[in-house]
Amino acid sequence: MTSRRGFLAGLLAAGLTPAVTWADVGAPRYLSAAKTPDGSFRLFGLSAQGKPVFDLPLPGRGHAAAAHPTRAEAVAFARRPGTFAHVIDCSTGQVIAELHSPEGRHFMGHGAFDLAGDLLLTPENDYEAGEGRIALWDRRQGYRRIGDLPSGGIGPHDLQRLPGQDRFVVANGGIDTHPESGRTALNLPTMRANLALLDLDGGLEVTQLAPALRLNSIRHLALRADGLIGFAMQWQGRDGSHPPLLGLMRPGEAPRLSAAPESQHEGMQNYAGSIAFSGDGQTVAITSPRGNAVQIFDARTGAFISQIDEVDVCGLSPSGDGFIATSGTGMIRYIGAESDPVQHDMAFDNHLIAV
């Protein structure tokens, strides 16, 4: 019987280049940036059991990644306000494209592919104009930048595609920043976050929170298979308030916000780092590396269910019927599953991206 390696070699000898899929690189279930003990930064492909399938070097600290829907290509984004994104062939480790934001802009640490995997969309901060843009990169042309669209707000951070369609949800965090001021918010007196539904023709449908919550920066997103949107927030107020950090919304409907009981909610320190729906879609969870906790809610009612304590936890993704979480201590924790925790000698960064 011809081995896959022999089959691939035959295709190459014949001058044909097969598409290298995720199965060809060990079928990773997740991607995560991490800092290793020697101080270097790498992108890891992790199995369902939390074991490294591959690890590839990054030129600096990574934040999140975008996985191509079929090919073994990952786009690793610099942490905001970084200006690089590397498209990596995960079968060889080769950087097949380097994306750089134009002068006067920077990436926001996230991106997403369209349904066919031909276009990559990346949120950008146009810090001279003080507005958000969504850049379009054509994979068929070697990831050439072909234009951009308005994000519908200021400070677009996360962006995800609605299941089964080329419509995208943009988390416009509302925070205006400038590289000369680092990550300092420059517009707190006028700040207002929103969620925008974006079509590839530039169509926008914007949903804002109530005016009293205008300082609740919408940062990260999760999409359930039926299109339910989950969003995680980070409060920018300085008045001692502790507003909800979790929101749920269906397109065309008003958002519903949820919070844990007072003492546990305040323990999150006004900061939700990541969000995910459980593998069975019945629950939704948010993490807080500042509060060292994962909080779990009923996805139908928004009711608080439970809290799991974990030091410096942030990355979160579905696993089985439950969740998998990563932390800056190198711990991988399973929630709602029988799997034992896995400890690694590295510091996982903020996000765990499902492939």
Side-chain angles (χ1 to χ4, degrees):
M1 180 180 294
T2 302
S3 68
R4 177 166 179 82
R5 180 177 296 176
F7 175 69
L8 293 175
L11 288 176
L12 292 170
L16 302 174
T17 304
V20 179
T21 68
W22 290 109
D24 297 319
V25 295
R29 290 284 299 276
Y30 310 101
L31 300 174
S32 180
K35 184 178 181 179
T36 59
D38 65 4
S40 63
F41 298 98
R42 304 185 72 84
L43 178 70
F44 284 82
L46 301 172
S47 70
Q49 293 74 39
K51 297 180 179 179
V53 174
F54 61 78
D55 66 284
L56 307 169
L58 295 176
R61 180 178 173 182
H63 184 68
H68 190 274
T70 56
R71 294 177 177 264
E73 293 178 9
V75 186
F77 295 96
R79 180 175 182 261
R80 177 177 67 91
T83 59
F84 78 85
H86 281 191
V87 185
I88 302 171
D89 181 338
C90 296
S91 66
T92 64
Q94 178 185 3
V95 177
I96 58 179
E98 293 188 22
L99 314 183
H100 295 277
S101 56
E103 185 176 354
R105 300 188 183 186
H106 62 73
F107 292 124
M108 303 297 280
H110 293 266
F113 283 94
D114 71 347
L115 189 60
D118 294 332
L119 287 177
L120 173 71
L121 285 74
T122 60
E124 292 181 351
N125 177 29
D126 183 341
Y127 52 82
E128 298 298 345
E131 65 179 17
R133 307 294 295 184
I134 304 298
L136 305 175
W137 310 79
D138 191 337
R139 183 190 176 278
R140 297 161 296 186
Q141 300 182 53
Y143 288 92
R144 185 173 73 87
R145 186 187 181 97
I146 59 172
D148 61 24
L149 300 168
S151 76
I154 294 174
H157 191 69
D158 200 359
L159 171 146
Q160 291 197 25
R161 181 175 54 79
L162 286 170
Q165 56 185 296
D166 277 329
R167 199 179 195 201
F168 297 81
V169 187
V170 183
N172 285 302
I175 302 174
D176 187 16
T177 60
H178 193 288
E180 293 180 358
S181 303
R183 297 162 70 87
T184 301
L186 303 177
N187 65 329
L188 288 184
T190 60
M191 175 191 155
R192 192 162 187 189
N194 71 52
L195 283 176
L197 297 179
L198 170 70
D199 298 317
L200 289 176
D201 62 4
L204 278 169
E205 180 182 328
V206 175
T207 299
Q208 293 183 322
L209 301 179
L213 297 174
R214 67 177 187 83
L215 294 178
N216 220 6
S217 180
I218 301 174
R219 309 298 291 167
H220 296 107
L221 302 165
L223 276 295
R224 201 169 68 174
D226 66 350
L228 180 63
I229 301 166
F231 55 97
M233 295 168 284
Q234 298 169 9
W235 178 245
Q236 304 300 309
R238 303 291 186 267
D239 59 356
S241 299
H242 296 279
L245 301 177
L246 168 67
L248 297 168
M249 189 187 83
R250 292 189 179 278
E253 298 181 3
R256 296 179 292 116
L257 305 185
S258 296
E262 184 176 359
S263 62
Q264 291 165 306
H265 177 63
E266 291 184 3
M268 298 285 274
Q269 298 189 36
N270 283 336
Y271 188 99
S274 289
I275 181 172
F277 286 100
S278 58
D280 63 7
Q282 299 301 303
T283 58
V284 61
I286 54 175
T287 61
S288 176
R290 296 181 181 178
N292 302 310
V294 182
Q295 292 186 343
I296 304 169
F297 299 79
D298 186 297
R300 183 179 62 86
T301 66
F304 175 75
I305 296 175
S306 63
Q307 176 170 307
I308 308 296
D309 297 326
E310 185 66 50
V311 174
D312 200 18
V313 64
C314 196
L316 192 67
S317 219
S319 176
D321 289 341
F323 304 91
I324 177 175
T326 55
S327 75
T329 67
M331 179 67 75
I332 296 180
R333 178 86 174 259
Y334 295 88
I335 301 169
E338 298 299 326
S339 301
D340 294 329
V342 180
Q343 179 68 56
H344 291 288
D345 190 17
M346 66 186 76
F348 289 110
D349 220 286
N350 293 57
H351 298 292
L352 183 66
I353 306 300
V355 174

